[in-house]
Amino acid sequence: MMEFLFLDYLLSKQGILKIAQLVILLVAFACVRSTWYNSFYAYGFYEGVTLGYSVTIVLYLFLTVFGLQKRASFVNWLIAEFVLDTLGFIFISTGSIIAALKSFQVPVLVAASVCGLLASYLLVGSVILSFVATQRSQSADPPV
């Protein structure tokens, strides 16, 4: 019988980190969206980055849970996850720093920037785990 849902990734360290990143980014987006902010461009960028990366994480988790990694073997999914997390770290940490500088002591905006920085730290952990997994898979393959 065919298996339709592959929940192994969600129970792994990387899957748990992805779910934690998703929750924290959605909290950061909700914090920014629920207040009237002073600097439209700084928080517009931050909203775009948090919501865009949240959608990317949901899409990646959706593809992983439904087993696309096993069906599409022509894509190196370990490197794809590494690139996804690296770009996410760059954009989210930049947006969080800008949001922290423009918060003007508004508690909700400070909380949003702290959530973004926490998500950045989780992304660093995910990048490290992806790098280790990529190195292990390359060392397991015999040289050609």
Side-chain angles (χ1 to χ4, degrees), residues 26-46:
L26 289 176
V27 167
F29 176 76
C31 286
V32 172
R33 197 67 187 156
S34 68
T35 185
W36 179 256
Y37 39 85
N38 297 328
S39 177
F40 176 73
Y41 295 110
Y43 291 108
F45 175 75
Y46 190 66

Side-chain angles (χ1 to χ4, degrees), residues 27-87:
V27 167
F29 176 76
C31 286
V32 172
R33 197 67 187 156
S34 68
T35 185
W36 179 256
Y37 39 85
N38 297 328
S39 177
F40 176 73
Y41 295 110
Y43 291 108
F45 175 75
Y46 190 66
E47 282 180 355
V49 166
T50 54
L51 188 62
Y53 194 69
S54 297
V55 168
T56 307
I57 290 174
V58 167
L59 182 66
Y60 185 79
L61 289 175
F62 182 77
L63 294 175
T64 304
V65 166
F66 284 104
L68 187 68
Q69 291 182 338
K70 294 182 181 14
R71 293 183 189 121
S73 61
F74 54 88
V75 176
N76 190 342
W77 290 98
L78 294 174
I79 293 178
E81 185 178 11
F82 178 77
V83 170
L84 173 76
D85 292 338
T86 303
L87 291 176

Side-chain angles (χ1 to χ4, degrees), residues 12-33:
S12 69
K13 292 177 187 176
Q14 290 174 324
I16 292 170
L17 276 175
K18 285 276 185 255
I19 293 171
Q21 292 165 11
L22 178 65
V23 169
I24 290 173
L25 287 174
L26 289 176
V27 167
F29 176 76
C31 286
V32 172
R33 197 67 187 156

